[in-house]
Amino acid sequence: MNVHQTYQSLERELSNEDPWRLDDNPFERERHTQLLRLSLSNSVVSNGLEIGCAAGAFTEKLAPHCKRLTVIDVMPRAIGRAVQRTKRWSHISWAATDILQFSAAELFDLIVVAEVLYYLEDMTQMRTAVDNMVKMLAPGGHLVFGSARDATCKRWGHVAGAETVITILTEALIEVERVQCQGQSADEDCLLVRFRNPERSSIRPNDRT
């Protein structure tokens, strides 16, 4: 699936009242429940990043647990809908961009990226996205990743899914917990994984005696 097709597909979904059935589907509700549980493993989040907000269904669940939350999405229309859904909170920052381009001055102690990376065009972009996320994750911070499985994503016309991205992530991060969410249809089968960024030593090489 090329970039133009991806944008067209996302725009069609966002024109629906409940895009991707994130509110009324029991599978999606359970996926969000588990995603939130994994995201709150360290209790309150000081500085969180959500990559890909859709219409704000998960943003609404995550926001009350964050002191600061940055939300990015490649679709301005998605951000517009999510902003309306979460307007009672003032500690959320928004950016219409993608993970390949986004950068931040401060590190995040939590990064959540679910059902997003398979939209990238190829493995090179997937690796670039993972590298960018790892660079923005604070030492000891957690990254929570979720995706449909490889076989499902390839059936949808994408290059890869959960298993492939998990393998890339484990090159830099430590897998802490993995959850499988499965619904009634063949498309409702995803993996959610919490990773931890290894603590870096506070002693610089030049300080050692």
Side-chain angles (χ1 to χ4, degrees):
M1 185 178 292
N2 60 38
V3 174
H4 181 66
Q5 290 172 323
T6 297
Y7 272 78
Q8 283 187 323
S9 174
L10 292 172
E11 281 287 359
R12 282 196 301 270
E13 287 290 350
L14 285 165
S15 66
N16 297 322
E17 184 176 345
D18 181 12
W20 299 281
R21 295 186 62 208
L22 297 179
D23 289 313
D24 74 352
N25 186 342
F27 166 75
E28 295 294 353
R29 289 200 300 268
E30 174 62 17
R31 185 174 67 84
H32 277 179
T33 296
Q34 294 297 332
L35 198 62
L36 185 64
R37 182 183 66 80
L38 293 172
S39 299
L40 300 182
S41 56
N42 280 350
S43 189
V44 175
V45 178
S46 295
N47 192 24
L49 170 65
E50 183 188 9
I51 300 168
C53 62
F58 184 71
T59 312
E60 187 176 32
K61 295 178 175 64
L62 180 62
H65 304 281
C66 300
K67 293 181 179 177
R68 286 181 295 161
L69 178 61
T70 300
V71 182
I72 71 171
D73 197 288
V74 71
M75 305 296 293
R77 186 174 185 177
I79 289 179
R81 292 190 62 169
V83 166
Q84 288 301 309
R85 188 163 182 160
T86 60
K87 59 185 177 182
R88 60 189 177 279
W89 292 297
S90 60
H91 65 291
I92 306 175
S93 301
W94 307 87
T97 184
D98 64 35
I99 188 54
L100 298 173
Q101 305 296 326
F102 179 71
S103 63
E106 295 181 85
L107 298 177
F108 299 97
D109 57 318
L110 172 69
I111 297 176
V112 181
V113 54
E115 307 300 327
V116 170
L117 297 185
Y118 53 68
Y119 285 111
L120 297 174
E121 285 192 74
D122 52 38
M123 291 305 303
T124 299
Q125 287 193 354
M126 282 192 171
R127 283 195 167 273
T128 300
V130 169
D131 289 345
N132 196 24
M133 290 188 297
V134 170
K135 288 176 185 176
M136 293 189 291
L137 188 61
H142 287 177
L143 185 149
V144 178
F145 166 74
S147 173
R149 292 175 176 271
D150 276 351
T152 303
C153 289
K154 289 176 181 179
R155 191 171 68 249
W156 292 344
H158 302 301
V159 63
E163 294 91 338
T164 296
V165 177
I166 289 168
T167 299
I168 299 172
L169 283 164
T170 52
E171 294 173 5
L173 306 176
I174 298 170
E175 180 177 331
V176 178
E177 184 178 356
R178 183 182 298 204
V179 177
Q180 178 182 356
C181 289
Q182 194 163 12
Q184 295 183 345
S185 78
D187 289 340
E188 295 177 337
D189 186 6
C190 74
L191 294 176
L192 307 177
V193 185
R194 176 166 61 94
F195 295 90
R196 180 174 59 82
N197 195 12
E199 296 277 3
R200 301 190 188 107
S201 173
S202 60
I203 301 176
R204 294 171 295 183
N206 292 339
D207 291 339
R208 294 194 181 100
T209 57

